[in-house]
Amino acid sequence: MSQSQNKYNRTLLACYLGFITQAVTANFTPLLFLMFNKTYDVTLGKIALIPAVFFITQLVVDIICAKVVDKIGYRKCIVTSCLCSAIGLILLAFLPEFFAEPFVGIIVSVVVYAIGSGLVEVLGSPIVEACPFEHKEAVMSLLHSFYCWGSVGVIIVSTIFFRFFGMGKWKILSCIWALIPFFNIYNFLVCPIERPNNGEKGMGLVALFKLPLFWVAIILMVCAGASELSMAQWASAFAESALGLSKNIGDLAGPCLFAVSMGTIRAIFGKFGHRINLMRFMIFSGILSVVSYLLASLSKLPVLGLLGCVLCGFSVAIMWPGTISICSPRIPKGGTALFAMLAMSGDLGGAAGPVLVGNISQIFGNNLKKGLLVGSIFPLVLIAMILLIAKSESKESLIKPE
């Protein structure tokens, strides 16, 4: 790595910690759902609204970012991301006690740290993309692997903490997790941050909407988010209900193994991705994802069902960062609006996919395997979109606005 690239290592570190922070905000609160139910007498119906509020807030932030980030500046926005994440985690520990209805305090805290999560989701990728690194596809994949390792870390560290200190000390742990984004504020204040497109004004939303490739990219990201989250969100329940595992073992065998497998592939691609044809790898990943969904949903042997869950982590790993790496150079003037819309589409898929799986499962008598079978449609559509890009690569109408 050249000396000019070395100075951006702190930028990369800051973005790594930003994605770890996002993993903390996304995965820590779900571990407390039963504690909220017992301590604050929050009904399970209300608790189910917590992840919905989290993702909806991220969607709103994605849309707003497309309009305001270029005006406010990347550094101010990404520092705000760290600040909101830290404050939200601290508020979660204390704010519920200040309301007659503790659920209100929980939701306010979730909204605050979801704003931080949404900001880093939109800004992390373009900040790294603007750095003068070689083999940006590999760097992007490695960046997104830190969300996976953050997820694994949150589950394992929190499980160990609760084992030794008890669930009643969760407020202390929430404040401990807040130290990561607080520390990262300094990183983002001092690290070099380049503007996408060398500081030139990016395309607006209206111009992007006229670009056929943009709509292909949107469908790709929806399918990438849905392929990943449809399995990830239901992995624990699948391990318990369909495979007959206990709650603790289900959490480790389901979401934890899923995150490990996903992080492993992203890290490997980050190391050797420059030697791999990304388009072909995405097609292979889509095929493997279909196989994993079919294995999980159709297999009668629990061990094969668990294998399907783990294989899905391997298969979906490259979909989200791969879509960004495929589309951003093909829409070189997309700017912040492009990254914001891609993030929004991924969140939309991440929200819609699990809902579809859950509803289909309910229709068939809470049969989760039926729901996961329908979930295989998302990687199938993703394969079709990749093939469409490959087939239309030479067509200017797919690359330039009409």
Side-chain angles (χ1 to χ4, degrees), residues 190-246:
V190 301
C191 73
I193 296 179
E194 302 293 339
R195 292 281 299 274
N197 307 321
N198 296 317
E200 296 180 10
K201 183 176 176 60
M203 298 173 67
L205 289 176
V206 174
L208 280 174
F209 290 158
K210 295 179 180 179
L211 192 61
L213 178 57
F214 171 74
W215 293 105
V216 176
I218 292 298
I219 297 173
L220 267 176
M221 281 301 286
V222 169
C223 292
S227 298
E228 176 183 329
L229 273 300
S230 292
M231 183 65 77
Q233 291 287 307
W234 288 105
S236 180
F238 175 71
E240 290 180 64
S241 63
L243 306 183
L245 301 178
S246 67

Side-chain angles (χ1 to χ4, degrees), residues 110-183:
V110 169
V111 169
V112 173
Y113 69 60
I115 292 173
S117 179
L119 283 170
V120 77
E121 183 178 51
V122 172
L123 301 175
S125 294
I127 286 175
V128 171
E129 183 73 21
C131 294
F133 295 118
E134 297 178 357
H135 315 305
K136 288 187 179 180
E137 303 93 344
V139 175
M140 192 67 69
S141 179
L142 185 61
L143 169 68
H144 284 260
S145 76
F146 276 83
Y147 177 84
C148 306
W149 302 129
S151 300
V152 174
V154 169
I155 295 171
I156 293 178
V157 171
S158 297
T159 299
I160 294 173
F161 181 92
F162 295 144
R163 174 67 179 82
F164 284 97
F165 301 102
M167 285 292 297
K169 302 295 185 181
W170 68 268
K171 296 180 180 181
I172 296 175
L173 185 57
S174 186
C175 294
I176 292 174
W177 286 126
L179 294 177
I180 298 176
F182 263 132
F183 169 75

Side-chain angles (χ1 to χ4, degrees), residues 27 141-142 144-149 151-152 224-225 227-229 231-232 254-270 281 309-321:
N27 293 281
S141 179
L142 185 61
H144 284 260
S145 76
F146 276 83
Y147 177 84
C148 306
W149 302 129
S151 300
V152 174
S227 298
E228 176 183 329
L229 273 300
M231 183 65 77
C256 199
L257 272 181
F258 182 90
V260 167
S261 59
M262 189 163 64
T264 300
I265 291 298
R266 286 179 175 176
I268 291 174
F269 196 89
F281 194 80
C309 181
V310 175
L311 278 179
C312 189
F314 286 118
S315 67
V316 302
I318 200 62
M319 290 181 178
W320 191 301

Side-chain angles (χ1 to χ4, degrees), residues 234-251 253-254 296 299-306 309 366-369:
W234 288 105
S236 180
F238 175 71
E240 290 180 64
S241 63
L243 306 183
L245 301 178
S246 67
K247 169 63 178 173
N248 290 335
I249 299 299
D251 284 344
S299 174
K300 296 182 179 180
L301 296 176
V303 65
L304 292 180
L306 181 59
C309 181
N366 293 327
N367 188 334
L368 196 49
K369 287 191 172 185

